[in-house]
Amino acid sequence: MEIHGPKLLGTSYKDPIASFNLFRDFTVQNPEVYWSIILKELSVIFRESPKCILDTADKSKPGGTWLPGSVLNLAECCLLPSAHPRKEDNSCAIVWRDEGNDDSNVNRMTLKELREQVMLVANALDATFEKGDAIAIDMPMTVNAVIIYLAIVLAGFVVVSIADSFAAKEIATRLRVSKAKAVFTQDFILRGGRKFPLYSRVAEASPYKVIVLPVSGNDVGIQLREQDLSWKDFLSCVNHRPRPYHYTPTYLPIDSAINILFSSGTTGEPKAIPWTQLSPIRCSSDAWAHINIGVGDVYCWPTNLGWVMGPILLFSCFLTGATLALYHGSPLGRGFGKFVQDAGVTVLGTVPSLVKAWKNTKCMEGLDWTKIKSFASTGEASNVDDDLWLSSKSYYKPIIECCGGTELASSYIQGSPLQPQAFGAFSTASMTTGLVILDEHGNAYPDDKPCVGEVGLFPLYLGATDRLLNADHGEVYFKGMPTYNGMPLRRHGDILKRTVGGYFVVQGRADDTMNLGGIKV
């Protein structure tokens, strides 16, 4: 804002804090200007540059066509060094620790080491699969899971995201809908010192090849089926090659699918939501603009690649030059808190039920979390008292609330460090996001009026889906929504309250959904 504010806003520009709302409104009216600036702040490298930022000529696409003509590989963008943001081969890309090793040093992996591991796996994928195949990941978000995710994208395959908590029937549904050809999983899950079976659930769900990583050591601790492979055997097929750690990425148009994610399956079959190469640009730019993630940050958020927060966290680190912090184990206990301290985490993401558990069990007493410059929260409505306790752990730093959707690849309302933050509330719509709150007749309330109603999103939204694999996109997101200033509004389904001070509070869903403990029922 200091660099571009005076030029873009003219004499009405004062400073980043006083002019924040003015600037944000400008980004809604002029998304092309905003995105051309932001693309230079992320390590996005085009193989073929876009013809323009936004093309609205095709009237059958209410969301427009973003960065048309551009070709790239977003996994490569994550792995290459860059001058701005400053990412070097010896920069720390990932910091992690295994549960139970709480008194040992944290493990670190440089950008170069990460790149070589990803390229090794990409070579092994090429030896096993056909380009464009969908390949599932169903395991905890470990260093190896992140390597596999990036390798699948680097090699021009499509990741299928499946949460490691699902029963075999749920796994089978997602594999069927996505037409996945194989699954990467672990033999067991270690949680709080206990072993839970994972491979057996995946094997029950998948008739296809399952590639099994050991939860600890080098060998899987379970008998595999004939068609399945251990991680060691999977990698051994490329070890004899002259340059197993070198790989030429597959470059694809920007609207190519790289990841199939799933909605929570509220009614019947879960919606299969394809992320394109636009999606990581959106989520990492939001992390940069709203959570102030960048070079020098250590970003930690206990999650899974099966939920949208997993890919968001991964790209938000590697496209901004931040370090990804992973704890291989349960985030509920003191071991996780000690990892946050020892890894020097600067931004800690949470879900409210986790914060409540930490507060009630007093398990984090005596730990030093003062390197944390801000917290972030999503998944369910926050509790103000729990938030106050969390904030106190680092000199009352703000908690940036995030609310969005898998199909938006981001948050449509969020907090911002350039505004006063209120616990359990959102201070702003996200950058470039236009929204209105609708009354029961489908008419928009004035923007400055306190109100409660269903939210309608402006359709021009970089990173939002324009297709679903197993449902009619237009029917799900546009049918029956009113128009506003000639634009068809996009459905999100949240009931929003705008307060007297202009803050937002989410009051639940507009459809017949109940949210029990963060799981939609």
Side-chain angles (χ1 to χ4, degrees):
M1 283 182 69
E2 283 180 338
I3 295 166
H4 300 282
K7 183 168 79 250
L8 299 178
L9 302 176
T11 51
S12 49
Y13 177 78
K14 303 280 184 295
D15 62 70
I17 290 173
S19 306
F20 178 82
N21 285 331
L22 199 61
F23 181 71
R24 205 210 69 83
D25 291 345
F26 174 88
T27 71
V28 178
Q29 304 303 323
N30 305 276
E32 299 96 324
V33 178
Y34 179 77
W35 287 112
S36 62
I37 292 168
I38 295 307
L39 283 168
K40 297 187 180 78
E41 300 294 335
L42 305 172
S43 59
V44 174
I45 306 141
F46 292 105
R47 189 75 177 180
E48 292 175 30
S49 296
K51 296 187 184 74
C52 59
I53 299 283
L54 171 63
D55 179 359
T56 53
D58 184 350
K59 292 303 169 217
S60 71
K61 292 172 82 171
T65 305
W66 293 92
L67 308 178
S70 60
V71 175
L72 73 168
N73 185 301
L74 260 164
E76 182 188 49
C77 298
C78 290
L79 297 168
L80 286 183
S82 72
H84 182 82
R86 195 183 71 254
K87 285 163 50 180
E88 292 162 353
D89 271 348
N90 62 355
S91 301
C92 180
I94 306 179
V95 54
W96 81 95
R97 180 183 276 160
D98 294 317
E99 182 177 278
N101 296 351
D102 299 332
D103 294 321
S104 60
N105 288 336
V106 295
N107 306 288
R108 295 180 189 278
M109 183 180 276
T110 65
L111 185 65
K112 182 171 190 268
E113 289 165 339
L114 174 64
R115 186 167 66 244
E116 289 181 345
Q117 288 303 308
V118 169
M119 289 184 167
L120 178 71
V121 175
N123 277 313
L125 289 168
D126 271 359
T128 318
F129 301 104
E130 304 288 319
K131 287 292 181 207
D133 279 354
I135 302 168
I137 300 177
D138 185 348
M139 59 186 286
M141 192 166 171
T142 60
V143 175
N144 277 330
V146 169
I147 288 167
I148 293 163
Y149 184 103
L150 287 169
I152 292 172
V153 177
L154 190 74
F157 301 101
V158 181
V159 179
V160 178
S161 291
I162 300 177
D164 60 359
S165 53
F166 283 134
K169 182 167 162 283
E170 296 289 341
I171 298 169
T173 301
R174 285 157 177 80
L175 293 173
R176 186 188 79 246
V177 170
S178 63
K179 302 186 171 64
K181 297 290 193 293
V183 190
F184 283 91
T185 190
Q186 262 178 203
D187 49 3
F188 298 98
I189 296 175
L190 271 184
R191 274 285 163 117
R194 292 172 59 202
K195 266 178 151 179
F196 299 92
L198 180 57
Y199 166 71
S200 56
R201 265 188 286 145
V202 173
E204 186 187 331
S206 170
Y208 299 108
K209 191 188 291 291
V210 179
I211 297 154
V212 189
L213 288 80
V215 68
S216 55
N218 289 323
D219 298 300
V220 292
I222 197 164
Q223 182 68 43
L224 302 185
R225 303 176 304 182
E226 213 169 301
Q227 71 264 43
D228 299 338
L229 272 178
S230 72
W231 178 238
K232 202 159 88 176
D233 290 345
F234 170 71
L235 293 180
S236 68
C237 69
V238 291
N239 281 343
H240 60 273
R241 291 197 180 176
R243 300 172 72 198
Y245 297 104
H246 287 263
Y247 188 83
T248 305
T250 301
Y251 298 103
L252 295 167
I254 196 148
D255 61 351
S256 308
I258 56 168
N259 191 179
I260 297 164
L261 292 123
F262 295 90
S263 67
S264 44
T266 324
T267 47
E269 200 168 75
K271 292 194 292 287
I273 297 167
W275 261 30
T276 69
Q277 299 197 88
L278 288 162
S279 314
I281 293 174
R282 178 72 197 212
C283 65
S284 56
S285 70
D286 278 0
W288 179 88
H290 286 269
I291 312 177
N292 195 22
I293 299 287
V295 176
D297 280 314
V298 179
Y299 194 9
C300 181
W301 201 320
T303 185
N304 186 266
L305 289 169
W307 304 117
V308 71
M309 207 49 239
I312 286 178
L313 178 68
L314 183 156
F315 288 115
S316 296
C317 288
F318 299 144
L319 293 177
T320 64
T323 299
L324 171 62
L326 299 171
Y327 185 69
H328 297 175
S330 168
L332 283 165
R334 187 177 182 84
F336 173 76
K338 187 167 186 300
F339 169 69
V340 169
Q341 167 190 287
D342 296 351
V345 169
T346 62
V347 179
L348 177 61
T350 60
V351 290
S353 51
L354 196 52
V355 178
K356 192 177 282 305
W358 293 339
K359 178 177 166 235
N360 292 346
T361 59
K362 297 186 167 57
C363 64
M364 302 304 181
E365 296 294 315
L367 291 172
D368 180 359
W369 281 10
T370 56
K371 283 211 171 102
I372 294 174
K373 66 178 192 184
S374 69
F375 299 92
S377 180
T378 193
E380 54 194 337
S382 289
N383 175 291
V384 172
D385 294 323
D386 295 346
D387 275 357
L388 183 63
W389 172 86
L390 179 66
S391 181
S392 75
K393 288 281 164 225
S394 184
Y395 303 123
Y396 295 94
K397 291 298 196 308
I399 299 171
I400 306 287
E401 291 282 345
C402 310
C403 177
T406 307
E407 77 289 352
L408 299 177
S410 61
S411 300
Y412 72 95
I413 46 175
Q414 219 162 350
S416 167
L418 293 177
Q419 297 173 297
Q421 296 301 288
F423 290 137
F426 304 82
S427 58
T428 180
S430 58
M431 304 307 281
T432 74
T433 301
L435 64 82
V436 286
I437 298 176
L438 303 165
D439 65 19
E440 59 271 28
H441 306 297
N443 299 316
Y445 288 104
D447 284 343
D448 53 358
K449 190 180 173 196
C451 56
V452 179
E454 182 176 347
V455 68
L457 300 179
F458 290 9
L460 292 177
Y461 193 115
L462 185 144
T465 50
D466 61 3
R467 57 193 186 270
L468 293 167
L469 296 192
N470 59 345
D472 181 322
H473 190 273
E475 201 166 296
V476 172
Y477 295 114
F478 288 98
K479 192 178 173 191
M481 286 296 282
T483 56
Y484 175 77
N485 287 351
M487 292 179 286
L489 291 173
R490 183 182 175 114
R491 179 180 289 109
H492 186 71
D494 286 347
I495 299 282
L496 273 198
K497 170 180 169 182
R498 189 188 291 122
T499 67
V500 173
Y503 286 69
F504 296 106
V505 180
V506 179
Q507 302 218 310
R509 298 287 293 169
D511 49 23
D512 51 357
T513 324
M514 288 195 308
N515 197 326
L516 303 180
I519 305 294
K520 289 183 194 159
V521 176

